[in-house]
Amino acid sequence: MTDSVRRVSSGGPWEERFGYSRAVQLPGGLVLVSGCTSVVDGQISAGGPHEQAVASFQAAFDALKQVGLGREDVVRTRMYLTHARDVDEVGRAHKELFDDVRPAASMVIVSGLVDPSLVVEVEIEAYRAGVR
């Protein structure tokens, strides 16, 4: 761990328990944001796949804000869904948030997430040269 790498916490219980950071900012301006869900203060804050996706991306945006970046700096998104039937709703949320940004994106169907009530988890990568 070097001094030039900045780690950001959301204060969530799993970060301390499992030993990870919400986001890591690397020298040169790349920021990696860990998987985010719609869990806020230990509770799922949104219902369906569209709402969960929006809330999940908002959690990721909150992490970016801590390092001075925003939605417009996102260069890659990854969306993990528990059901193929939710692709259109999660895709609609992605379009609403990123239509003018157009990051590289992946959508993957997985067998489950840490809580069976969760149907989507997202990761983002953002970049802005010279941000520190």
Side-chain angles (χ1 to χ4, degrees), residues 10 26 33 38 48 55 60 71-72 93 107 114:
S10 69
L26 303 172
V33 179
S38 61
R71 181 182 60 86
E72 66 280 0
M107 194 178 293
V114 296

Side-chain angles (χ1 to χ4, degrees), residues 93-106:
H94 191 275
K95 181 173 176 61
E96 290 169 1
L97 296 168
F98 294 107
D99 194 33
D100 58 335
V101 177
R102 298 290 173 127
S106 299

Side-chain angles (χ1 to χ4, degrees), residues 14-75:
W14 296 293
E15 293 170 28
E16 184 64 30
R17 183 175 173 193
F18 298 135
Y20 72 94
S21 298
R22 168 60 62 210
V24 176
Q25 182 179 30
L26 303 172
L30 181 64
V31 178
L32 309 172
V33 179
S34 296
C36 297
T37 64
S38 61
V39 173
V40 176
D41 297 327
Q43 301 295 316
I44 296 172
S45 66
H50 177 268
E51 294 81 11
Q52 283 194 26
V54 170
S56 298
F57 278 119
Q58 186 56 56
F61 296 156
D62 290 347
L64 285 182
K65 186 176 180 182
Q66 291 187 58
V67 296
L69 274 70
R71 181 182 60 86
E72 66 280 0
D73 299 305
V74 174
V75 295

Side-chain angles (χ1 to χ4, degrees), residues 81-83 108-113:
L81 289 68
T82 58
H83 301 286
V108 179
I109 308 303
V110 297
S111 63
L113 298 172

